[in-house]
Amino acid sequence: MVDIKTLTDLEITIFLLMMAGYFMTKIKWMNDESRKVLSDLLIRFILPCNILVSFMMEFNRQILIDGLRILGLSVCVQILILAVGRYFYPRAKKEKLAVLKYGTIVSNAGFMGNPIIQGLYGNHGLLYASIYLIPLRIVMWSAGVACFTGAKGKNVLKKIVTHPCIVAVVIGLFLMVSQVPLPTGLTKTIQSVSDCTTAVSMIVIGNILAGVKMKEVVNGDTLWFCAVRLFLIPLLVLAGCRVVGMTELVTNVSVVLTGMPAAATTAILAAQYDGDAGFAAKIIFLSTLLSLVSIPALCLIMQSL
């Protein structure tokens, strides 16, 4: 069960960190180059350390069972989204449709989801989040990129197996199962880097939000996307978890991660492959802001059912 005070404090922290990134961009302390440097640092170093920390715990049969459950659930969710995602936006134009499909398939569960799950459910929840995100990262670099390019084959496979977060999951699984102890100095270093996850990831998101004009954000397309991304999909996952009898922690982690806003890479790939980058920035902006309300709402719904 989520403590309301803990959730409120976490939401305030996330909001203030995003606003720090927003205002630092507005006063020219940050720019696009700064965002690229911080994003690369997050993906290649900070998030992998955060994932490794999640695996630094005693391994037992229940963790194995729940880990396999959440992995299977995540695979089912990705298949569901891929299967029905194309039908959510029947009237969207080609450039917008690519953005909408990618934003529906790929959420911001890595940047934003990991720190939120860790804040709500501790390292145990973070462990399950790291496992849940494996299929998402695979889909992100395969079907996700194909939304804009139609790409497939060896290049996609290479991106998947060499992704720092996937490598961190493999190493983390080995360390947890083998229970091989790391040197104290190395463990403390990894933990120190991991502690930066929330701050750096939210500042990056704030930097992205600063590039969007608020008065152009709210319209029928962006609101419908947010309804699908933040409410429809996670509520379907919640219903499925209840039907098959998933444990409370597995259900909570899965629903919260599924309800994350559009990924920052939506705008990056749209710009790179001649999609509607401006529209991508709008759905990132609006879904991120509304997630500050939708995530607590999902937690309260789970507690009441």
Side-chain angles (χ1 to χ4, degrees):
M1 182 176 292
V2 177
D3 179 73
I4 299 301
K5 184 179 184 303
T6 300
L7 180 58
T8 302
D9 290 344
L10 181 61
E11 290 287 312
I12 292 172
T13 300
I14 287 172
F15 177 77
L16 292 177
L17 287 169
M18 284 197 298
M19 288 301 98
Y22 181 92
F23 286 114
M24 282 193 291
T25 303
K26 287 297 186 182
I27 62 177
K28 310 299 183 184
W29 286 6
M30 289 183 69
N31 53 30
D32 290 344
E33 185 177 346
S34 305
R35 180 175 70 216
K36 186 179 186 310
V37 171
L38 288 177
S39 296
D40 288 345
L41 183 64
L42 264 171
I43 293 172
R44 297 174 182 175
F45 188 46
I46 296 177
L47 279 174
C49 286
N50 187 242
I51 290 168
L52 286 175
V53 167
S54 72
F55 285 93
M56 292 179 180
M57 62 172 59
E58 184 180 348
F59 182 65
N60 56 48
R61 183 172 178 272
Q62 190 59 49
I63 288 177
L64 174 62
I65 293 172
D66 282 347
L68 291 174
R69 283 174 175 168
I70 201 164
L71 180 62
L73 176 62
S74 180
V75 170
C76 292
V77 170
Q78 293 305 316
I79 292 173
L80 173 67
I81 293 174
L82 285 170
V84 304
R86 69 186 69 181
Y87 303 113
F88 287 142
Y89 316 106
R91 298 180 181 178
K93 296 180 180 179
K94 183 178 179 181
E95 294 79 8
K96 283 187 177 181
L97 182 60
V99 170
L100 290 167
K101 287 173 66 177
Y102 182 90
T104 303
I105 294 169
V106 183
S107 72
N108 206 9
F111 273 22
M112 194 170 180
N114 273 12
I116 288 178
I117 292 296
Q118 187 172 26
L120 292 176
Y121 306 113
N123 282 349
H124 203 161
L126 181 59
L127 168 65
Y128 292 158
S130 300
I131 296 172
Y132 183 91
L133 289 174
I134 294 173
L136 175 61
R137 297 191 194 283
I138 293 173
V139 169
M140 175 182 180
W141 295 112
S142 52
V145 174
C147 290
F148 295 100
T149 67
K152 50 185 166 181
K154 292 182 179 179
N155 289 336
V156 172
L157 180 62
K158 182 179 178 181
K159 282 187 176 182
I160 292 169
V161 298
T162 60
H163 193 285
C165 292
I166 297 294
V167 174
V169 168
V170 173
I171 295 172
L173 280 169
F174 170 78
L175 292 174
M176 185 178 69
V177 173
S178 66
Q179 292 291 292
V180 174
L182 294 177
T184 303
L186 179 57
T187 300
K188 288 185 176 180
T189 300
I190 294 172
Q191 180 67 63
S192 296
V193 176
S194 173
D195 290 342
C196 301
T197 304
T198 303
V200 178
S201 59
M202 295 307 129
I203 287 172
V204 169
I205 292 172
N207 172 269
I208 293 170
L209 301 186
V212 180
K213 295 179 181 179
M214 185 61 185
K215 63 182 180 180
E216 300 176 358
V217 168
V218 181
N219 57 56
D221 289 336
T222 57
L223 287 173
W224 174 240
F225 170 82
C226 290
V228 171
R229 174 75 264 167
L230 302 178
F231 288 104
L232 178 59
I233 295 174
L235 289 177
L236 286 174
V237 172
L238 175 58
C241 288
R242 290 286 190 260
V243 168
V244 301
M246 287 288 181
T247 62
E248 182 179 6
L249 183 57
V250 169
T251 299
N252 292 350
V253 170
S254 301
V255 172
V256 171
L257 287 177
T258 309
M260 287 293 122
T265 48
T266 310
I268 296 170
L269 290 176
Q272 186 173 356
Y273 296 112
D274 299 321
D276 193 335
F279 179 67
K282 292 173 186 177
I283 67 170
I284 293 169
F285 184 99
L286 189 60
S287 63
T288 301
L289 288 186
L290 292 180
S291 71
L292 296 176
V293 176
S294 65
I295 293 171
L298 289 172
C299 291
L300 291 174
I301 289 171
M302 288 187 288
Q303 284 190 189
S304 63
L305 295 178

